[in-house]
Amino acid sequence: MAMLELNGVETYYGTIQALFGMSLYCAEGRVTTLIGRNGMGKTTTVGSIIGTLACRSGEIRFDGSPINGKPAYQVAQLGIGLVPEGRQIFPNLSVRENLIATAANFSRSDDPWTLERVLEFFPRLCERLNNQGSQLSGGEQQMLAIGRALMLNPRLLILDEATEGLAPLIRQEIWRRLEELKQSGLTILLIDKNIDEFAHIADNHFIVEKGQVVWQGGSSELTSDADLKARYLGI
Ligand code: ATP
């Protein structure tokens, strides 16, 4: 069953339309990706899902119930966690404070993410526990952003450009961690450019072009189709 479903979503910035009937779904326990060139509507789709952008028409369902029009805090409480584009960690708070500031067990998990568990998952953060967010490297900030989202105990984790600007070795570490999260049963929606690196952990891909999905398929179909990648992804 689809945990998240978007049907014909249209979203505007004032009078400028950015989404033109966006439709996609995330199956429970799977990694779904939303990919496409810059400015095609990926971040707008994320904003529409999490309730920071109002969609003008169409429908967004989570666990079968409509969530359009709900404020962002209610969407978070329903179990949708975000690792936002640009990480947006609190620069003046320590790593520990960043992790506990917004913590909650929204999915009412029996085995919730705690500070200790996040530090075990990202040992680098343990070493930096009392450092301020602004003192971390880009990779450490990204781990902190993921750790902070996990501390909300979401059922669906959305990552918007989580490996942007990171060195290849750090990206590999992020992919390994995401693979572990998938194996633990977490449902993931991934927005990223490094398709060949994450294809092995992803199940279903949606390519977005000018605010709507133009292709949908599995990893082997995507990675083996050079024409498709050149046409819609510019790679
Ligand atoms: P990127 O990878 O560069 O973030 P994206 O696929 O996430 O790209 P969006 O950021 O969703 O794309 O942008 C979709 C469209 O909406 C673009 O045409 C963009 O110019 C427009 N847009 C985005 N933010 C705003 C805004 N605040 N005001 C007006 N138009 C915007």
Side-chain angles (χ1 to χ4, degrees):
M1 183 188 128
M3 180 180 278
L4 177 77
E5 206 172 345
L6 276 70
N7 271 316
V9 170
E10 308 213 334
T11 302
Y12 289 69
Y13 294 96
T15 56
I16 302 165
Q17 187 168 3
L19 297 187
F20 294 81
M22 176 68 66
S23 298
L24 62 87
Y25 67 88
C26 296
E28 186 157 5
R30 299 294 164 98
V31 175
T32 303
T33 80
L34 184 60
I35 48 183
R37 281 191 288 248
N38 287 351
M40 291 301 170
K42 303 179 298 295
T43 297
T44 306
T45 303
V46 172
S48 306
I49 296 168
I50 65 161
T52 53
L53 290 170
C55 42
R56 204 171 281 187
S57 58
E59 191 172 50
I60 305 178
R61 286 178 171 270
F62 184 62
D63 275 341
S65 302
I67 58 168
N68 348 14
K70 285 194 190 295
Y73 75 90
Q74 278 183 12
V75 175
Q77 284 172 355
L78 287 171
I80 300 183
L82 174 67
V83 178
E85 192 173 23
R87 293 149 204 157
Q88 296 176 25
I89 59 164
F90 304 115
N92 302 324
L93 296 188
S94 68
V95 166
R96 179 199 297 273
E97 288 164 342
N98 263 281
L99 287 171
I100 61 176
T102 53
N105 187 0
F106 284 146
S107 60
R108 290 170 201 84
S109 164
D110 296 338
D111 182 23
W113 285 91
T114 58
L115 181 64
E116 293 69 32
R117 208 174 141 202
V118 167
L119 296 177
E120 219 170 278
F121 194 60
F122 287 121
R124 269 167 184 256
L125 294 183
C126 197
E127 293 160 25
R128 308 289 253 138
L129 202 54
N130 296 314
N131 285 102
Q132 289 202 322
S134 58
Q135 295 173 314
L136 305 183
S137 69
E140 289 164 346
Q141 287 187 6
Q142 192 58 64
M143 290 170 199
L144 180 55
I146 296 173
R148 184 180 58 181
L150 291 175
M151 290 286 283
L152 294 170
N153 286 282
R155 294 183 51 232
L156 169 69
L157 182 66
I158 304 177
L159 299 108
D160 193 353
E161 305 281 6
T163 62
E164 175 95 49
L166 299 183
L169 273 176
I170 307 288
R171 292 206 301 268
Q172 293 311 325
E173 193 170 342
I174 302 281
W175 300 134
R176 277 198 298 274
R177 293 287 98 85
L178 293 183
E179 193 169 6
E180 283 176 45
L181 291 174
K182 177 187 178 182
Q183 280 162 3
S184 76
L186 191 65
T187 307
I188 296 176
L189 175 59
L190 189 62
I191 291 143
D192 207 279
K193 298 201 169 59
N194 299 295
I195 292 155
D196 291 328
E197 291 180 10
F198 63 68
H200 68 288
I201 63 166
D203 301 288
N204 204 11
H205 306 271
F206 292 87
I207 297 182
V208 56
E209 174 97 345
K210 295 185 185 144
Q212 56 185 276
V213 168
V214 289
W215 185 89
Q216 173 197 343
S219 284
S220 51
E221 292 162 87
L222 175 67
T223 50
S224 62
D225 193 334
D227 274 358
L228 187 72
K229 291 199 284 186
R231 192 163 3 127
Y232 294 122
L233 306 170
I235 51 176

